[in-house]
Amino acid sequence: MRILLSSDHEYPAANPNGSGLHPKKFPSGSGYILHDLLAKGLAELGHDVFYLVRRSHAEAPRGVNLIYEPVSEVDILHTISGRDATLIEESQKPWVATCHMDERTRGRKRDAATSNWIYVSRTLAQLHESDRYVWNGIDPQEYVYNETKDDYFLFMSTMDWGTQKGLDTVLSLAKRVGFKLVVAGTGESYERIEKVQEMCREVGAKYVGDVRGQEKAELLAGAKGFLFPTKLDEAFGLGMVEALMSGTPVICSDRGACPEIITSEVGFVCSSEDQYITALEQISRIDPRTCRNKALRDYHYHVMATNYVREYEIECARTGSDRAHAAAQ
């Protein structure tokens, strides 16, 4: 297929160097990173990829054509959350959009256009009365697999949403149970970073700030477990999958897509503090190889790209049928 991917960011989105204890404008940016990886995966599957970005600072992988103006000779347009309304209208091509969050929280109601949306989890799709979803995928080459674990648990999140993601819960558990805790992630201001430092200091947790690249990979691989006691209805939860790819089991809440992503063979889904404590005590029962195998099977970026191609084919067939029907009227 000839695929036009559209994303309003500077390529590449990923930065191999973390900002440490310094602010970052987009502390996560995972949606853009995933779009970059999708472009790579589609090209490696043999498709012609035209990647429309704002500007670039590096060469794209083989088969990915970085462009700065849209091209017309494509089979389908793929954007993020339908934000390229003008491009969609002008292209007159079949199109889909990846939705990375619960749009209802932004006051957006389901309309005819959302039938083109592809959600990042079955849970998120069902919340929007849809059955169209593709799980996010990651590149195993960007992670370190390790069966030998160090004596710490890891919490990693954007700190602007730290409390909603469960930072207070992991700090409370660390204080009550007495385990070593490493907290990673930054925010958009020094004020927020200093607040997190203070919270960690009070319970003896180590706060490392923003980590990327090899540093992040080693931190994930060395942890006994990845803690994600989020209070939000998570759309996906990329950090959990990164942990699994590293051979690290996950302890998460029962909110949003967490029970969809984390099954009993790779972690624990909890709804109370007592359940979290039990999970912490039983974490060594989870086999790192099982975690890795699940990530390779379900969350590899080639799997993500293959599943998007399936959605492209569905959309092209549907659009062609609709146009034929309209022409016959």
Side-chain angles (χ1 to χ4, degrees):
M1 298 185 76
R2 292 171 63 86
I3 303 158
L4 172 58
L5 285 178
S6 173
S7 187
D8 183 27
H9 75 283
E10 297 182 9
Y11 180 88
N15 187 333
N17 302 311
S19 63
L21 297 176
H22 297 283
K24 198 175 186 69
K25 185 175 182 181
F26 298 107
S28 173
S30 59
Y32 294 135
I33 294 171
L34 288 162
H35 227 50
D36 286 357
L37 197 53
L38 174 59
K40 176 183 176 183
L42 290 169
E44 289 175 351
L45 292 178
H47 300 281
D48 295 325
V49 180
F50 300 89
Y51 197 9
L52 180 62
V53 294
R54 193 175 350 139
R55 61 178 61 90
S56 64
H57 304 286
E59 291 186 6
R62 186 198 301 190
V64 177
N65 303 288
L66 292 177
I67 59 175
Y68 311 101
E69 295 292 338
V71 294
S72 58
E73 296 303 315
V74 295
D75 299 308
I76 193 162
L77 164 66
H78 181 175
T79 183
I80 296 180
S81 295
R83 288 181 292 202
D84 290 336
T86 301
L87 179 59
I88 290 169
E89 183 177 353
E90 292 179 349
S91 73
Q92 295 295 302
K93 297 290 183 179
W95 67 277
V96 297
T98 297
C99 183
H100 288 274
M101 65 181 65
D102 186 352
E103 293 285 340
R104 302 172 310 162
T105 62
R106 298 191 171 188
R108 183 163 187 172
K109 298 180 180 179
R110 179 177 170 81
D111 56 33
T114 59
S115 63
N116 296 73
W117 288 6
I118 313 299
Y119 299 89
V120 293
S121 67
R122 180 176 61 251
T123 302
L124 187 63
Q126 290 173 345
L127 287 173
H128 293 79
E129 302 176 23
S130 174
D131 60 359
R132 303 187 74 174
Y133 72 94
V134 171
W135 282 335
N136 290 326
I138 58 177
D139 186 348
Q141 297 300 316
E142 296 177 1
Y143 299 89
V144 175
Y145 171 65
N146 197 340
E147 296 183 4
T148 303
K149 303 299 182 181
D150 294 328
D151 187 26
Y152 67 87
F153 287 87
L154 175 64
F155 174 82
M156 184 170 63
S157 169
T158 168
M159 290 303 148
D160 291 320
W161 291 80
T163 300
Q164 294 93 326
K165 295 285 188 177
L167 175 60
D168 56 340
T169 300
V170 297
L171 293 175
S172 174
L173 287 168
K175 182 177 181 179
R176 178 175 173 181
V177 180
F179 60 84
K180 293 181 181 178
L181 173 66
V182 176
V183 174
T186 189
E188 294 189 358
S189 70
Y190 279 110
E191 181 180 6
R192 184 58 191 161
I193 292 171
E194 290 166 2
K195 177 62 177 177
V196 174
Q197 280 184 305
E198 180 183 348
M199 294 169 67
C200 291
R201 189 162 45 243
E202 288 176 353
V203 301
K206 182 179 180 181
Y207 179 44
V208 297
D210 182 55
V211 291
R212 307 274 166 163
Q214 186 68 20
E215 183 182 9
K216 175 182 174 181
E218 292 176 356
L219 195 62
L220 282 163
K224 292 172 62 175
F226 183 83
L227 304 181
F228 194 60
T230 180
K231 302 169 189 176
L232 299 174
D233 290 329
E234 294 293 332
F236 184 79
L238 191 64
M240 297 189 294
V241 170
E242 293 179 311
L244 296 182
M245 192 65 80
S246 310
T248 300
V250 175
I251 300 174
C252 63
S253 76
D254 60 354
R255 298 294 298 270
C258 292
E260 177 184 341
I261 305 303
I262 301 303
T263 51
S264 59
E265 74 270 22
V266 297
F268 301 86
V269 177
C270 306
S271 59
S272 69
E273 187 172 273
D274 286 344
Q275 288 182 354
Y276 282 118
I277 292 173
T278 299
L280 289 164
E281 293 170 347
Q282 297 181 355
I283 196 73
S284 61
R285 297 183 182 181
I286 304 295
D287 180 18
R289 173 55 62 180
T290 302
C291 296
R292 174 77 170 186
N293 287 342
K294 178 174 175 57
L296 289 171
R297 181 183 69 244
D298 295 337
Y299 309 123
H300 194 292
Y301 74 101
H302 281 168
V303 176
M304 173 178 66
T306 298
N307 289 335
Y308 270 114
V309 171
R310 178 199 65 209
E311 294 293 340
Y312 299 159
E313 292 171 345
I314 290 172
E315 194 58 39
C316 287
R318 187 182 76 161
T319 302
S321 176
D322 290 345
R323 287 175 178 170
H325 179 74
Q329 296 302 308

